[in-house]
Amino acid sequence: MIYPYIIPSILALSAGVYILGLRRAEKVATYSGGLSELHSLPTHYGVFAALCCAMPALLVLVLWMIFEEKVITSMVAGNLPADLLRQSANELTLVINEVKNVAFGGFTATSGNPAIEKAAVAYMAHLTSARNMVSILVVFCSIIPAWFAIKSIGKDLRARNLVEGAVRIVLFACAGVAILTTIGIVFSVMFEALRFFQAVPLTDFLFGLQWSPQIAMRADQAGSSGAFGAVPVLTGTFLIAMIAMLVAIPIGLLAAIYLSEYASSSLRNWAKPALEILAGIPTVVFGFFAALTVAPIIRELGTALGFTVSSESALAAGLIMGIMIIPFVSSLSEDVIHAVPQSMRDGSLALGATHFETIRHVVIPAALPGIVGSILLAVSRAVGETMIVVMAAGLSANLSFNPLATVTTVTVQIVTLLVGDQEFDSPKTLAAFALGLLLFVFTLALNFFALRVVRKYREHYE
Amino acid sequence: MDVTASRMTDQIFPIVAVGDSAEAHERMHVRPLDRKTIGSPFVDNPRMMCRDVDVFYGDKQAINKVSIDVGQNQVLAMIGPSGCGKSTFLRCLNRMNDTVSSCRVQGEISLDGIDIYHSSVDVVPLRARVGMVFQKPNPFPKSIYDNVAYGPRIHGLTRDKNELDEIVHTSLIKAGLWEEVKDRLREPGTGLSGGQQQRLCIARAIAVGPEVILMDEPCSALDPIATAKVEELIAELRTQFSIVIVTHAMQQASRVSQRTAYFHLGDLIEVGPTEKIFTNPGHKLTEDYITGRFG
Ligand SMILES: Nc1ncnc2c1ncn2[C@@H]1O[C@H](COP(=O)(O)OP(=O)(O)OP(=O)(O)O)[C@@H](O)[C@H]1O
Ligand SMILES: [Mg+2]
């Protein structure tokens, strides 16, 4: 059973092949009159040989990992007793799952059905022998190319170019994985959302003024009641994000200006990390601070002034969320303000501008693209934040711009829709995907807009 | 120092070379014991007077008991080997050194008889009166117009747009840049060539209407044609302003200045009329420097 150790073995093998390649290149060099005779450096030949050893083997392994399940399952399914096989495709999956559970000693480690017990034993046997074969194949796929690679090392082998090419492919693959995952996530959300829109018309979702998905679970109301109107959820999101930004932008920006322009370097050296600690506090801690400390204070103050304040209010959540995202604004803005060259400031000061005039007319405009970037990051953080809102602003969707009322946000609704036991094809559950898509479109639009603003500014000034 | 520059100096002011270069090189690294400046550091009717000025960066002394006057309607050139403290001294004259936290200035510097380092003096109007052009062009990332209008705007020098337009116009004309930029005043100043940027910085400085202009190697990044334009400008500005210019180009000092000061390792070695400094220097160090024996 070398299968569990196959990756470390390949790596160890490649390391050995690297050294062999290196040795061989050095030997070739001595025979043909010095290192300068070689086309590439000895390490290039070593890396080339090691890559020839590791790459095909890993490729085979990855392919096997992808198809293992399918191959084994089809082998086992072929041998199942006829009465089990006669079932519909859906139930066959269940049977196979049961077989696997028995085979791997899952929570139903014993099954009453002897046919399944037998299949499980067969499954294990197939798996073991297949894995042994794959292991042998993988070892061959590393040794044989490595042997050819080492043989081919000569002073004219363009190992450097080959290695550079391989590096490029690896980098490209990594970038590709990142992009493909993003696209994959977007598409999966989009397909689920499309299923939702088959049950609930898009216009009802976008323009409906009432959000009550729990009621809509009843079959007679699904899709027709208008209870899936996203407007109150969106306004709640905007309201809370707005309050948060009203707190975070001024405080964060002014703190950044103070730290980079006025504070002594020793003060900055401890104040900046101290501010950044704010970003490290778990949001749930902010959440109960908002719910247990801030919300009651706001309610008492409001009641004393004669307002009706619910015990969970958008104001409490927004204020605390604003404080939470201050470091996003201040830390990044401080960096970009600090990066404005001293010669700009000198030029302004030498014209007789005061320190603050210099900051206002020269430093801030020069740093504006970065500042906008930091604010954008903070906005996406505010829009995506869930925990504080759940705890401090409540769950009920009110169409209201009153900061003293209970509101809810997109992310909170996604959570409440998906927690607990759910059927994954009811409109109620699918609504979560529609909300997710909406949130995604919203942040994308925000990014796009901000990018445009920054670019326009750049054209104007640089 | 640039060898070609010294050769050209030799052609303009033929000097009989004295001493061999190894000996001169040795002298270069010995701080002169006698710290008295020779020549004529003082003038009648000075604009600015500096007396016993010491400058320290932390514990390190960069300027050592320098006394010199800046005359009315005169160009004073400051020359000397790299690192001798020319920029440091220049930045004392409008207190730009205040922005360097480790920098400490002692002694007395006065503008029209008023000590500029006195605690009651506000640096903001001082810097409006003593303008500065930096070694590296540093236009703001704003339009050409806004660059020049920056100073007049913050000082509230104009009452309406027409007056501001007028100031921008005359400043750009004086800086010799108007013809090149008159159709693109709204374009960014950072999009100009290096030489145009430097003239833009000069226009920006004179738009405030300073009485003294400090220039730190204003032509070091410029080609000969742009250099000639800036030199023409200096000659013209002299009729209204007092100018102090730091330069590494001997022939430039000899062309634009009336008086020349030679700095060496933080000491002011010699000051005198430019012609005298270049034809008949009074100090060995000055002579070695301008004949290109070291530097
Ligand atoms: N900000 C500073 N902190 C510490 N030391 C400094 C600082 N600025 C300048 N110095 C030192 O002061 C001395 C004089 O520097 P300065 O810039 O005045 O020379 P300079 O004559 O202008 O030289 P250059 O011709 O190369 O511009 C140098 O030894 C320099 O290292
Ligand atoms: Mg200098």
Side-chain angles (χ1 to χ4, degrees):
Chain A
M1 275 300 275
I2 73 160
Y3 187 77
Y5 311 106
I6 193 77
I7 292 183
S9 323
I10 294 174
L11 293 182
L13 212 59
S14 312
V17 169
Y18 169 79
I19 291 172
L20 287 180
L22 200 73
R23 290 271 161 74
R24 178 160 170 107
E26 277 162 358
K27 209 179 278 170
V28 168
T30 23
Y31 284 135
S32 49
L35 279 178
S36 57
E37 289 299 310
L38 294 182
H39 173 271
S40 314
L41 292 175
T43 48
H44 285 134
Y45 291 103
V47 174
F48 164 71
L51 283 176
C52 286
C53 171
M55 287 291 201
L58 289 178
L59 196 69
V60 169
L61 194 63
V62 168
L63 283 179
W64 171 250
M65 282 172 165
I66 293 174
F67 293 110
E68 176 181 84
E69 175 106 26
K70 278 212 170 103
V71 173
I72 304 287
T73 305
S74 69
M75 287 163 89
V76 174
N79 288 336
L80 279 178
D83 60 324
L84 279 176
L85 266 184
R86 264 197 312 275
Q87 286 156 347
S88 69
N90 236 347
E91 281 177 54
L92 188 64
T93 330
L94 287 181
V95 172
I96 294 291
N97 269 342
E98 207 181 337
V99 168
K100 268 196 260 173
N101 278 335
V102 175
F104 292 111
F107 52 92
T108 54
T110 48
S111 161
N113 191 336
I116 290 191
E117 295 276 357
K118 214 178 123 217
V121 174
Y123 190 97
M124 252 353 232
H126 282 307
L127 191 66
T128 313
S129 64
R131 283 186 169 179
N132 280 340
M133 268 158 62
V134 168
S135 302
I136 292 169
L137 184 68
V138 163
V139 170
F140 270 108
C141 283
S142 63
I143 289 179
I144 292 174
W147 188 77
F148 276 113
I150 291 177
K151 278 281 153 223
S152 75
I153 290 176
K155 70 185 175 64
D156 292 328
L157 180 72
R158 299 158 65 82
R160 173 159 44 77
N161 310 41
L162 293 170
V163 170
E164 295 282 323
V167 166
R168 222 182 108 159
I169 290 170
V170 169
L171 295 181
F172 174 81
C174 290
V177 166
I179 293 169
L180 285 181
T181 337
T182 315
I183 294 178
I185 290 173
V186 170
F187 269 89
S188 77
V189 170
M190 204 147 83
F191 283 130
E192 300 295 327
L194 282 180
R195 282 174 64 196
F196 171 74
F197 289 129
Q198 279 162 7
V200 180
L202 182 63
T203 45
D204 281 8
F205 177 71
L206 288 182
F207 304 114
L209 298 184
Q210 207 200 340
W211 176 264
S212 45
Q214 309 297 344
I215 304 169
M217 257 180 99
R218 291 212 313 263
D220 55 331
Q221 285 187 350
S224 58
S225 67
F228 282 109
V231 172
V233 184
L234 277 186
T235 54
T237 307
F238 280 124
L239 183 64
I240 290 183
M242 194 102 84
I243 296 172
M245 295 322 287
L246 282 179
V247 174
I249 293 179
I251 296 182
L253 210 52
L254 296 181
I257 291 173
Y258 175 74
L259 283 182
S260 63
E261 294 289 324
Y262 292 92
S264 67
S265 61
S266 56
L267 177 64
R268 180 170 54 242
N269 285 347
W270 72 259
K272 213 180 161 209
L275 248 177
E276 280 160 3
I277 288 177
L278 265 185
I281 298 178
T283 56
V284 67
V285 176
F286 279 111
F288 67 68
F289 181 63
L292 301 182
T293 312
V294 180
I297 292 176
I298 289 177
R299 194 184 51 213
E300 269 160 39
L301 270 181
T303 322
L305 293 173
F307 296 111
T308 20
V309 185
S310 64
S311 57
E312 293 173 321
S313 65
L315 190 60
L319 282 180
I320 294 303
M321 196 192 284
I323 287 170
M324 182 195 81
I325 56 184
I326 284 175
F328 287 85
V329 179
S330 70
S331 185
L332 282 175
S333 300
E334 203 271 338
D335 287 343
V336 289
I337 292 174
H338 203 70
V340 172
Q342 180 63 30
S343 67
M344 289 287 135
R345 298 189 182 88
D346 283 352
S348 171
L349 291 174
L351 290 171
T354 62
H355 194 167
F356 187 68
E357 282 165 346
T358 301
I359 293 169
R360 201 165 87 79
H361 297 298
V362 174
V363 178
I364 298 291
L368 200 59
I371 292 176
V372 171
S374 74
I375 290 176
L376 208 68
L377 190 71
V379 171
S380 359
R381 209 38 229 265
V383 169
E385 172 54 37
T386 317
M387 201 42 97
I388 294 177
V389 187
V390 175
M391 298 176 82
L395 297 171
S396 58
N398 280 332
L399 181 51
S400 160
F401 286 103
N402 177 6
L404 303 176
T406 304
V407 296
T408 192
T409 65
V410 174
T411 50
V412 170
Q413 285 309 309
I414 294 179
V415 172
T416 54
L417 288 174
L418 291 183
V419 287
D421 287 341
Q422 305 290 349
E423 322 161 51
F424 260 83
D425 46 3
S426 78
K428 182 195 164 206
T429 318
L430 292 175
F433 291 96
L435 283 180
L437 189 66
L438 197 66
L439 197 64
F440 174 74
V441 169
F442 171 70
T443 39
L444 197 71
L446 199 72
N447 273 312
F448 183 74
F449 172 72
L451 218 65
R452 285 287 294 272
V453 169
V454 168
R455 195 167 301 150
K456 186 159 174 234
Y457 166 87
R458 282 230 170 110
E459 275 167 11
H460 201 262
Y461 285 118
E462 273 175 10
Chain B
M1 193 190 96
D2 183 345
V3 179
T4 21
S6 72
R7 292 226 180 89
M8 290 175 76
T9 317
D10 288 356
Q11 284 157 14
I12 298 168
F13 302 111
I15 303 167
V16 183
V18 194
D20 71 80
S21 64
E23 188 189 322
H25 191 259
E26 207 166 72
R27 268 203 306 267
M28 157 84 185
H29 290 281
V30 179
R31 183 177 275 274
L33 292 175
D34 162 26
R35 283 181 180 153
K36 237 171 77 86
T37 306
I38 66 164
S40 48
F42 307 125
V43 297
D44 303 333
N45 261 330
R47 246 6 259 277
M48 299 193 78
M49 295 197 301
C50 310
R51 294 295 178 270
D52 293 333
V53 176
D54 289 315
V55 183
F56 301 86
Y57 288 111
D59 293 334
K60 194 171 148 277
Q61 186 159 10
I63 290 289
N64 192 4
K65 292 266 174 296
V66 167
S67 300
I68 191 171
D69 284 347
V70 178
Q72 182 77 40
N73 293 353
Q74 267 191 349
V75 179
L76 169 65
M78 305 209 298
I79 59 171
S82 186
C84 68
K86 305 178 297 292
S87 299
T88 300
F89 185 69
L90 196 71
R91 288 165 63 92
C92 292
L93 298 181
N94 66 346
R95 289 186 57 176
M96 281 307 286
N97 277 339
D98 291 11
T99 62
V100 181
S101 56
S102 67
C103 185
R104 197 156 46 84
V105 179
Q106 284 172 0
E108 191 184 319
I109 302 179
S110 62
L111 174 64
D112 294 337
I114 295 162
D115 182 2
I116 63 170
Y117 278 87
H118 193 270
S119 57
S120 67
V121 168
D122 184 359
V123 294
V124 169
L126 167 74
R127 288 182 188 146
R129 290 177 67 192
V130 184
M132 184 156 201
V133 176
F134 295 86
Q135 178 166 353
K136 218 171 124 240
N138 56 349
F140 302 132
K142 300 176 184 296
S143 71
I144 294 171
Y145 183 94
D146 288 341
N147 260 284
V148 183
Y150 184 84
R153 273 188 184 137
I154 56 171
H155 293 299
L157 296 182
T158 56
R159 263 171 288 122
D160 55 31
K161 178 99 175 57
N162 288 343
E163 278 184 42
L164 191 59
D165 285 349
E166 187 54 33
I167 289 188
V168 171
H169 183 199
T170 47
S171 306
L172 283 170
I173 286 188
K174 276 190 204 156
L177 192 60
W178 175 253
E179 284 304 320
E180 289 156 71
V181 302
K182 65 179 178 214
D183 299 325
R184 45 193 283 211
L185 291 177
R186 295 285 155 203
E187 284 172 32
T190 39
L192 295 172
S193 77
Q196 289 172 329
Q197 286 187 12
Q198 190 62 292
R199 278 178 284 149
L200 180 63
C201 291
I202 293 174
R204 185 175 75 183
I206 59 186
V208 185
E211 299 157 33
V212 180
I213 300 180
L214 312 175
M215 297 183 167
D216 194 350
E217 297 180 43
C219 302
S220 62
L222 304 193
D223 72 292
I225 296 170
T227 303
K229 278 196 181 143
V230 172
E231 286 178 6
E232 245 170 65
L233 169 68
I234 292 172
E236 198 187 304
L237 292 176
R238 176 168 79 87
T239 57
Q240 301 165 41
F241 310 106
S242 300
I243 294 171
V244 184
I245 179 172
V246 172
T247 178
H248 276 294
M250 280 332 112
Q251 69 275 49
Q252 179 172 60
S254 66
R255 279 195 300 265
V256 301
S257 71
Q258 285 71 53
R259 291 168 71 230
T260 297
Y262 173 67
F263 283 78
H264 184 92
L265 290 179
D267 293 309
L268 178 56
I269 303 296
E270 183 170 358
V271 189
T274 299
E275 195 141 334
K276 169 157 189 313
I277 295 284
F278 282 100
T279 49
N280 185 18
H283 199 287
K284 274 272 184 291
L285 287 168
T286 319
E287 184 180 307
D288 289 347
Y289 182 70
I290 61 173
T291 53
R293 239 147 260 294
F294 55 74

